[in-house]
Amino acid sequence: MSTLVRDVMTADPVTLDSTATVVDAAKAMRDSDIGAVIVLDSGTTCGILTDRDIAIRAVADGEDLASMSVGSICSANATTITADATVEDALAVMQREDVRRLPVVDGDLPIGIVSLGDVSQEGGAGEALADISAAPANN
């Protein structure tokens, strides 16, 4: 029987409203020792923001991080997956979309986040990791 995403995901992901500031996101990442937050609009998943997004899309451009919203720099329309999907399905989606993290949703509500590291522990991630690592940055 295949391992399900629910078995390897991090439950209760850190989320921020799209109107939160980049400083709020950076503090949330620091305080929770994570590299990504799920961005919400009216309580539903609308994107994902990584520490790399902050560095490339805000800091490097000299933006005012205290007034810039996370909604303006997140990867909008993030590809999501359900908790009942298999780890193999998650790997295939990550490989196809060239992403390292997927919000796990129930409908549009975030219930977790699964990373390439989470699914790679289940094996079979070598080819997906190589493809994702070789993909151009999506900045």
Side-chain angles (χ1 to χ4, degrees), residues 15-18 37-41 44-49 70-71 74:
T15 62
L16 289 173
D17 190 80
S18 62
V37 296
I38 297 175
V39 180
L40 305 177
D41 185 23
T44 61
T45 303
C46 70
I48 190 166
L49 180 73
V70 297
C74 72

Side-chain angles (χ1 to χ4, degrees), residues 23-100:
V23 170
D24 294 332
K27 287 179 180 178
M29 289 180 193
R30 176 199 64 201
D31 295 348
S32 299
D33 193 27
I34 56 173
V37 296
I38 297 175
V39 180
L40 305 177
D41 185 23
S42 301
T44 61
T45 303
C46 70
I48 190 166
L49 180 73
T50 67
D51 46 7
R52 185 175 194 283
D53 293 331
I54 293 172
I56 301 300
R57 298 178 183 167
V59 175
D61 289 339
E63 300 289 347
D64 178 4
L65 307 180
S67 64
M68 179 178 242
S69 72
V70 297
S72 68
I73 64 166
C74 72
S75 296
N77 302 315
T79 302
T80 61
I81 198 158
T82 65
D84 293 328
T86 66
V87 166
E88 292 82 10
D89 292 336
L91 276 170
V93 170
M94 289 175 178
Q95 189 171 18
R96 182 182 71 238
E97 300 295 325
D98 293 325
V99 297
R100 295 172 183 264

